[in-house]
Amino acid sequence: MAKSHPNPRLEAKFSRWSYLDSFVVWVVGGFGVFATLSLLLVPKFFLPAEDAVILFQYSRNLANSGAITFIPNGVRAEGATDFAWMVLLSVGMRLGLNAFWLIAFLNVAAILFLSFLLIRIAGSRVRPLSLFFVVGSFALMPQIFAAASGFSTLPYAFLLVFLASRFLCRDDIGTPLLGLTLCLFRPDGVVIAVPLLLSALVIYPQRFRRVALDTVLYIIPGIIYFIWRWRYFGQFLPLPFLVKSDTPRYAHLLVLGSVKDGRFFLLFALILLGFVLQQRLGDSRNRAVLLSLVLLPNLFYFSMRLDQDVGHRFFIYLPVGTAVLLAMNWQAIRPRSFYLLRVGVIAAFLCLSRAWFFDFNAFRFYQFDNRKAISEELARLHGGTMIVTEAGFLPFYSQWPTYDAWGLNTAAFSKRLIQPADVSGLHPDLVFLHTDGDRCTPQLEWQTPYAVRTWEHLSRNLVAGVPSSQFDLWYLPFGNAHNRTQRKLQPWQSEQECWFVRRDSPLRFQIETILMGHGALTAEQHHALADPAQHR
């Protein structure tokens, strides 16, 4: 005789929840399939991000000349800190592969393999639904748009999971080797690799063997690489580190803008980890992974200026660290897995949905098709130089010698803010400026030259360095024309790009013809069309 449930209403309620939970799992899994195909096809329909194209520039120069430079055949520069990623793309370019398509393939491989590793860490069988559920969960993080924009986000995330898996398997050879690879991929990987290696020394036996292997496989190669790059570039620290550390801090530690950008990612991670680790922090491996993949990296990134944080890419360690800890404790929390699913859905909606849709819209809007087309036409002109505030599309597609005004790729401006005198000293044919809301003509209240590094000060110093007696000013709308149309914005109602053409340049008329062919307006035309309230 079948045993009846003591409470039929409660049984029906649980049945409804289980159906809903299963439906959510299938939806996320289906989204994982869609995300995988989308990542593979991104280059057919979209352009990479500005900062991603900067690394393409370094990779192409390395492939063509064997030197790491921002300007083709120019001085050595270390704006591309993702050394191993740059070398990987350079090899692909050397073989004739398109960098963006190569990244699409690597993204798909990375998200599939990291999902596979997480399921194995969880001690579960790898089934299609479980695999694509994990893929879909990662695709619901805003960092998916950084990956789609051409950054190393997903391969780096794969390396994080791979490193954690070797640590958990007590692999005393694989852990330091992967730690070294992680740091070569991105130098900030050191804030994860070093604590994890130290944790292995404390937790696991054979300490002397581990110290010896860490020294031979991680410390000595790392020191050799650091000394080589110091001698090669003549800089003790990479240019982006100099720029991103040059910022005011609260209590000499925290950059408030970075805290604001990352606080909801940290909150999301802590909600899930509070559910998982409330009674499991006594496990030394849980503490080690929590410290190495969540807390210490978070302290580091909260203390740095995070320029060009496309898709909140710098915070990828938070979903990765959370996923690793969930997988490590999966067998213990499996009976409550559907409660975890519900908590995760609610937490993601409250903490991440706004960032996801913001980054989705930014990904669509920052498709600089007009800028790319102008750059490709400039490539037909020879002998020109330029100063830019965005150092991706214009240098890469035009192949002109270019100076990065922000300093991420030009050593002189990484140590101090560019000054008006620097502009006249470089004597560029073209100056490109995105003011981010400020004016492209001098204002009486400006106190140039400025020394403190802010984007407003940068733009004002550049404007002061391009007097109207020597440069013609042209305006173009910022962003993507199709997206502006969807948002019902007239070109002169959105942010502006300011293009200054030197009057005595031998390329002046060709440059201005190219700009006019892409809808550029003179200063007089722009002010006549613009809303007077916006240009008081």
Side-chain angles (χ1 to χ4, degrees):
M1 181 177 177
K3 183 178 179 181
S4 61
H5 197 282
N7 190 334
R9 291 184 179 180
L10 189 60
E11 182 182 47
K13 181 179 179 181
F14 279 123
S15 297
R16 287 193 296 270
W17 272 110
S18 64
Y19 285 132
L20 181 60
D21 293 333
S22 298
F23 175 74
V24 171
V25 170
W26 277 94
V27 168
V28 175
F31 183 69
V33 175
F34 170 77
T36 303
L37 294 174
S38 298
L39 283 172
L40 190 60
L41 296 175
V42 158
K44 184 174 178 60
F45 301 102
F46 297 97
L47 296 174
E50 271 281 346
D51 264 30
V53 177
I54 291 175
L55 195 126
F56 295 0
Q57 172 90 340
Y58 282 98
S59 299
R60 184 179 63 189
N61 291 344
L62 178 59
N64 291 341
S65 66
I68 303 173
T69 65
F70 177 64
I71 297 174
N73 301 309
V75 298
R76 296 168 180 175
E78 194 182 13
T81 55
D82 301 359
F83 177 78
W85 182 242
M86 174 188 65
V87 171
L88 183 60
L89 296 186
S90 176
V91 171
M93 290 179 167
R94 187 72 176 176
L95 295 174
L97 301 177
N98 177 281
F100 204 23
W101 279 104
L102 175 59
I103 291 171
F105 173 80
L106 293 173
N107 278 338
V108 170
I111 200 169
L112 289 175
F113 278 112
L114 75 85
S115 300
F116 174 86
L117 282 175
L118 286 168
I119 295 171
R120 294 299 298 270
I121 291 172
S124 300
R125 289 182 59 187
V126 180
R127 297 183 175 89
L129 178 58
S130 59
L131 180 71
F132 284 104
F133 175 81
V134 178
V135 171
S137 299
F138 269 98
L140 287 170
M141 300 295 109
Q143 286 79 12
I144 197 70
F145 298 111
S149 299
F151 293 99
S152 62
T153 309
L154 283 177
Y156 181 73
F158 163 71
L159 287 175
L160 288 176
V161 177
F162 200 6
L163 174 62
S165 72
R166 291 299 86 202
F167 165 79
L168 296 172
C169 291
R170 305 187 180 192
D171 186 347
D172 49 7
I173 294 177
T175 304
L177 283 176
L178 278 166
L180 178 65
T181 305
L182 186 74
C183 296
L184 290 176
F185 226 76
R186 274 187 20 195
D188 39 335
V190 71
V191 301
I192 294 172
V194 169
L196 210 57
L197 290 172
L198 292 175
S199 298
L201 292 177
V202 173
I203 295 171
Y204 299 136
Q206 296 183 312
R207 189 168 299 169
F208 178 79
R209 170 181 164 84
R210 290 183 179 278
V211 169
L213 287 171
D214 288 352
T215 301
V216 172
L217 300 177
Y218 180 81
I219 297 175
I220 292 177
I223 291 174
I224 291 173
Y225 169 74
F226 187 86
I227 293 174
W228 168 81
R229 57 149 296 278
W230 185 5
R231 289 175 60 86
Y232 187 86
F233 296 108
Q235 300 280 342
F236 185 73
L237 293 170
L239 304 184
F241 185 86
L242 295 175
V243 173
K244 293 178 181 181
S245 60
D246 180 17
T247 186
R249 289 180 171 81
Y250 177 76
H252 304 287
L253 179 64
L254 300 176
V255 178
L256 295 182
S258 301
V259 174
K260 181 180 178 181
D261 287 344
R263 67 190 189 278
F264 288 115
F265 294 95
L266 179 61
L267 178 61
F268 172 74
L270 293 179
I271 289 173
L272 292 190
L273 294 178
F275 180 89
V276 174
L277 300 177
Q278 51 186 326
Q279 296 178 345
R280 300 189 61 79
L281 277 178
D283 186 329
S284 58
R285 299 197 306 172
N286 280 337
R287 293 198 302 270
V289 173
L290 177 65
L291 183 70
S292 304
L293 265 70
V294 177
L295 299 181
L296 287 179
N298 209 78
L299 181 62
F300 171 78
Y301 283 106
F302 276 7
S303 66
M304 298 293 288
R305 180 212 299 267
L306 302 179
D307 296 326
Q308 287 294 318
D309 191 16
V310 176
H312 293 86
R313 60 193 175 102
F314 293 112
F315 295 104
I316 185 60
Y317 61 90
L318 283 172
V320 169
T322 303
V324 169
L325 284 162
L326 290 175
M328 289 169 57
N329 297 277
W330 180 249
Q331 296 304 321
I333 64 176
R334 192 169 183 176
R336 300 182 296 152
S337 58
F338 284 113
Y339 290 107
L340 175 63
L341 176 67
R342 297 163 199 168
V343 170
V345 169
I346 295 171
F349 178 77
L350 294 177
C351 298
L352 304 182
S353 59
R354 184 174 180 272
W356 196 92
F357 283 105
F358 174 85
D359 289 324
F360 171 67
N361 287 325
F363 175 72
R364 294 167 58 227
F365 185 67
Y366 296 146
Q367 293 291 305
F368 297 114
D369 46 1
N370 207 27
R371 194 182 298 176
K372 177 176 179 286
I374 291 172
S375 304
E376 290 173 329
E377 292 188 37
L378 289 175
R380 302 171 191 167
L381 310 179
H382 300 287
T385 62
M386 67 177 93
I387 300 174
V388 297
T389 55
E390 276 94 343
F393 283 94
L394 281 165
F396 182 71
Y397 291 105
S398 72
Q399 301 188 51
W400 280 23
T402 304
Y403 302 94
D404 177 10
W406 190 235
L408 292 172
N409 306 284
T410 302
F413 306 137
S414 67
K415 300 179 179 67
R416 59 172 178 81
L417 189 66
I418 191 171
Q419 299 295 298
D422 294 319
V423 180
S424 58
L426 291 171
H427 205 56
D429 298 274
L430 178 65
V431 177
F432 170 84
L433 170 63
H434 170 223
T435 62
D436 198 18
D438 212 339
R439 298 288 295 274
C440 287
T441 52
Q443 305 297 304
L444 292 175
E445 66 270 18
W446 291 2
Q447 304 295 319
T448 54
Y450 295 93
V452 177
R453 186 182 297 276
T454 69
W455 198 264
E456 181 182 75
H457 292 172
L458 166 78
S459 63
R460 291 181 178 184
N461 280 353
L462 279 179
V463 170
V466 286
S468 57
S469 60
Q470 300 176 24
F471 287 82
D472 289 328
L473 170 59
W474 296 81
Y475 284 92
L476 274 168
F478 178 76
N480 179 264
H482 177 69
N483 190 259
R484 283 195 305 272
T485 301
Q486 288 186 323
R487 293 167 61 183
K488 298 181 180 179
L489 289 174
Q490 296 296 330
W492 53 88
Q493 291 179 325
S494 58
E495 295 180 61
Q496 303 297 307
E497 297 175 353
C498 305
W499 301 69
F500 299 90
V501 183
R502 202 179 80 238
R503 288 186 173 180
D504 63 355
S505 168
L507 302 175
R508 171 191 174 187
F509 295 108
Q510 294 97 315
I511 295 172
E512 293 185 341
T513 299
I514 291 171
L515 294 176
M516 286 188 290
H518 290 276
L521 302 177
T522 65
E524 294 76 13
Q525 292 170 328
H526 175 264
H527 289 300
L529 290 173
D531 182 355
Q534 294 180 333
H535 298 276
R536 290 197 294 264

